[in-house]
Amino acid sequence: MDVLQLDVSGRPQAWITPREAALLYASDGVAWTLGRACQVLRGGIQRTTGLQSRIEVHSIIAVRGAVPSRAWRQTPALTNPKLFVRDRHLCAYCGGRFGFDTLTREHIIPVSRGGRDTWMNCITACRACNGRKGNRMPEEARMTLLYLPYVPSLHEDMILRGRRILSDQMEFLLASVPRSSRLHA
């Protein structure tokens, strides 16, 4: 289970381990928390009080400090696992649902014809459809796209990273995901 780290304004920054979160708690780096305490870490016994140190790590923490505004303008990195989750493991041509091992990254405009490896030019396709289309444009291969590509938002990207997401983390992230996103379906 990972902790969702936010900046102080509530924008997602990263998934971190509970131990990394504990370091932020111990150094007074946590500005505020959301969600329930998901793990309790215990330390040594304090000599003066005889009490054991204890840190309750919440599932969502906001850290103190500023993040450069340009950091939020970047497009999320395109990876096959995130692409396949964005497209719900559906082939954009035949509509079949496939496992990870039988899916491919399909370039709408083939790379051999100047297409780029971007979110807006890539969709999920089964191996058979990808092979059938080859290095042609969809119209040339007489293949119609069943859905259009899109660039995931920052909140969607945090979901697409494939972590085991707790319900309160998912609720927080989905609240900022556009209703038109496939992640709501």
Side-chain angles (χ1 to χ4, degrees):
M1 188 281 319
D2 286 332
V3 174
L4 178 59
Q5 177 186 316
L6 312 174
D7 69 10
V8 77
S9 70
R11 288 183 289 200
Q13 290 184 314
W15 290 104
I16 60 174
T17 67
R19 290 196 185 276
E20 291 170 316
L23 289 172
L24 290 167
Y25 277 97
S27 64
D28 197 32
V30 176
W32 49 270
T33 64
L34 286 175
R36 65 186 190 287
C38 58
Q39 191 166 2
V40 177
L41 301 173
R42 298 183 192 326
I45 306 295
Q46 209 173 38
R47 189 182 324 211
T48 56
T49 64
L51 299 174
Q52 185 178 31
S53 64
R54 163 189 160 115
I55 296 176
E56 285 190 359
V57 177
H58 287 77
S59 59
I60 303 170
I61 64 170
V63 296
R64 299 183 197 287
V67 176
S69 62
R70 71 180 187 283
W72 306 113
R73 291 188 214 131
Q74 295 177 352
T75 301
L78 174 61
T79 66
N80 282 354
K82 290 195 294 187
L83 176 69
F84 299 163
V85 171
R86 179 199 73 176
D87 295 346
R88 305 183 61 81
H89 291 86
L90 293 175
C91 175
Y93 296 116
C94 70
R97 185 178 301 273
F98 296 90
F100 183 86
D101 293 339
T102 55
L103 291 173
T104 63
R105 181 186 303 190
E106 160 61 13
H107 295 85
I108 299 167
I109 301 171
V111 174
S112 64
R113 296 176 72 174
R116 296 180 34 223
D117 201 34
T118 64
W119 284 103
M120 291 303 290
N121 190 46
C122 291
I123 46 92
T124 299
C126 67
R127 292 190 187 282
C129 287
N130 195 341
R132 195 173 117 223
K133 179 180 169 281
N135 69 342
R136 299 177 289 178
M137 300 291 280
E139 309 80 47
E140 294 169 353
R142 299 195 196 301
M143 298 172 79
T144 306
L145 287 173
L146 300 176
Y147 55 81
L148 297 175
Y150 69 94
V151 178
S153 70
L154 174 65
H155 291 79
E156 285 173 297
D157 184 51
M158 296 302 286
I159 295 169
L160 294 174
R161 291 182 187 193
R163 301 259 191 297
R164 289 186 313 146
I165 300 175
L166 299 175
S167 60
D168 50 355
Q169 294 168 333
M170 184 63 86
E171 184 180 328
F172 175 82
L173 291 169
L174 280 176
S176 296
V177 171
R179 297 301 297 160
S180 59
S181 170
R182 290 186 204 118
L183 297 181
H184 281 290

